[in-house]
Amino acid sequence: MAPMSETQTVTTSTEQKVLPTYEEIRRAIPLQCWEKSLPKSLFYLVLDFVILGSLYYAVPYIEGYAGWTGLLVWYWFMGMFGSSLFVIGHDCGHGTFSEYPWVNDFFGHVAHAPILAPYFPWQKSHRQHHSYTSHIEKDRGHPWVTEEDHLNRDWITRHFAKIPISGLFRWNPIYTIVGLPDGSHFWPYSKLFTNNRERIQCVISGLACAVCALTALHLCNYSLYTFVKYYYVPLLFQGLWLVMITYLQHQSETIEVYEEGTWNYVKGQVQTIDRFYGLGIDNALHHITDGHVAHHFFFTRIPHYHLIEATEAIKKVLAPYPGAYKRRAQFDFVLEYLRLNVKLDYLIGKGTGILMYRLPENVEKLKQKKTN
């Protein structure tokens, strides 16, 4: 079965009573939110490169005055603004950077290759995540863990996510290079790819990343220590930011995950959570944090600079449906990320159509459902 697009939503009459239809939500979006501006997109791309370049210019002074403490702070901001750059490539991958596919693909590589994110392979795995958000089997990029999966894992795999520094490695190398769980994004014969066109695209994106890495190595005078310290470690922090952002967009105590037969597009997307980080972070990250619900509903149509306006429209449509729109003020986002990784271990309810995390209140809900 081909992935369901955002315009192929099927909703039964029973489900329409508890959620609006996709068309109702779409009609509420202001017309200007659909407009894609290449000059505006290029502005944000250049802005992110300027900020990252400025941070590189400043690092000798930061390290000189503050030592390793200053360097750790520098890593943190490099990770944040590296994730901002990722969001621009993310727009390219969804086709919202401009109206021209070839322009999107070109600048997608410009944004993603320097942070060693293989553009075409990521585009494929990420699109399936959007097409099947909160589907227990088809939602790529978010490895939903059932009780059976959890019990069949070894101790390290079972508890790895609970280790605070694990987030540094869960994007690169674990997800993109090693390929857990979707397949390597760098190896053309990994399970992620099903035809030669996709394999060729994998090679193209991989070569773009290799060129950037070799350029960085050259700028580091071929010193592996310097390369790791000033290039690869900042990328690990960019991966940490990306893991935190993505995790908090899709995980909470109340989240629901659906099996085949009970899932549909609208039900899946309303399991997405808008998190407001504050302190200007949401602006710096191009509103991928506090405008994520709108992005999920219309991922191929709304550029990041229209997400907040679209969010306000979606909130009004979802307002009559208690709990449908999920938003959290998350100033303590790092602590919340760490807390949920410890608390949320696996999903229960397999075979009932709806799965929830193994928490006392959810166990009680499932008991009541079985009784009814």
Side-chain angles (χ1 to χ4, degrees), residues 73-216:
V73 173
W74 181 78
Y75 284 148
W76 185 251
F77 282 98
M78 283 293 293
M80 183 176 78
F81 286 106
S83 294
S84 302
L85 182 62
F86 182 91
V87 174
I88 301 301
H90 176 265
D91 267 13
C92 294
H94 285 307
T96 58
F97 187 86
S98 78
E99 297 286 356
Y100 313 102
W102 71 269
V103 172
N104 296 332
D105 292 343
F106 175 79
F107 285 107
H109 282 88
V110 169
H112 274 188
I115 54 177
L116 302 189
Y119 172 77
F120 281 132
W122 164 83
Q123 184 185 47
K124 180 186 179 183
S125 61
H126 190 64
R127 188 177 183 89
Q128 178 122 343
H129 156 61
H130 273 280
S131 298
Y132 289 105
T133 305
S134 289
H135 190 295
I136 186 63
E137 296 170 344
K138 298 177 181 178
D139 184 357
R140 287 191 183 274
H142 294 274
W144 302 113
V145 180
T146 64
E147 183 175 10
E148 181 182 6
D149 297 330
H150 182 78
L151 296 177
N152 286 334
R153 292 179 168 184
D154 57 64
W155 189 92
I156 294 177
T157 307
R158 205 180 293 174
H159 298 285
F160 179 72
K162 298 177 183 179
I163 304 171
I165 64 169
S166 67
L168 286 167
F169 311 102
R170 283 159 68 177
W171 167 252
N172 178 338
I174 291 175
Y175 182 65
T176 58
I177 297 176
V178 178
L180 296 176
D182 297 332
S184 175
H185 288 56
F186 284 94
W187 176 241
Y189 290 96
S190 79
K191 65 181 180 180
L192 179 60
F193 311 111
T194 58
N195 57 63
N196 287 336
R197 182 176 183 272
E198 292 175 351
R199 295 184 183 101
I200 291 171
Q201 288 180 328
C202 172
V203 172
I204 292 170
S205 295
L207 286 174
C209 293
V211 167
C212 290
L214 289 172
T215 301

Side-chain angles (χ1 to χ4, degrees), residues 13 33 109 134 149 178 196 271 290 292 308 343 346 369:
S13 58
C33 290
H109 282 88
S134 289
D149 297 330
V178 178
N196 287 336
Q271 297 309 313
D290 58 341
H292 205 65
I308 297 305
K343 187 174 184 179
Y346 61 82
K369 185 177 179 181

Side-chain angles (χ1 to χ4, degrees), residues 211-362:
V211 167
C212 290
L214 289 172
T215 301
L217 185 61
H218 172 73
L219 293 172
C220 294
N221 294 317
Y222 297 96
S223 164
L224 188 59
Y225 173 78
T226 304
F227 175 85
V228 170
K229 182 178 179 181
Y230 295 111
Y231 184 65
Y232 189 65
V233 174
L235 293 186
L236 292 181
F237 274 81
Q238 183 268 320
L240 171 62
W241 270 90
L242 187 59
V243 167
M244 286 193 301
I245 292 166
T246 305
Y247 186 87
L248 292 174
Q249 287 164 347
H250 298 283
Q251 306 285 0
S252 77
E253 290 93 341
T254 61
I255 215 74
E256 292 181 351
V257 182
Y258 303 99
E259 294 179 304
E260 188 70 23
T262 58
W263 178 93
N264 70 43
Y265 187 84
V266 173
K267 286 168 67 175
Q269 305 310 341
V270 296
Q271 297 309 313
T272 305
I273 307 163
D274 281 346
R275 305 260 186 182
F276 176 71
Y277 290 14
L279 302 175
I281 296 173
D282 306 282
N283 287 321
L285 292 170
H286 306 307
H287 297 293
I288 204 63
T289 48
D290 58 341
H292 205 65
V293 174
H295 169 64
H296 254 262
F297 269 108
F298 307 105
F299 59 94
T300 64
R301 302 188 64 186
I302 300 180
H304 75 265
Y305 41 81
H306 291 316
L307 286 177
I308 297 305
E309 189 175 1
T311 296
E312 293 304 314
I314 290 174
K315 284 166 62 176
K316 293 176 183 177
V317 179
L318 295 180
Y321 305 88
Y325 176 67
K326 298 174 177 61
R327 185 183 188 275
R328 310 278 190 277
Q330 208 67 70
F331 305 109
D332 60 341
F333 60 94
V334 177
L335 294 177
E336 180 70 356
Y337 161 75
L338 296 173
R339 183 184 74 84
L340 290 180
N341 269 281
V342 172
K343 187 174 184 179
L344 308 180
D345 47 11
Y346 61 82
L347 299 163
I348 56 174
K350 190 173 182 179
T352 67
I354 301 177
L355 295 90
M356 294 173 283
Y357 276 108
R358 181 182 64 97
L359 300 170
E361 58 270 29
N362 291 338

Side-chain angles (χ1 to χ4, degrees), residues 57-68:
Y57 179 81
V59 68
Y61 305 99
I62 294 171
E63 190 176 9
Y65 284 105
W68 277 98

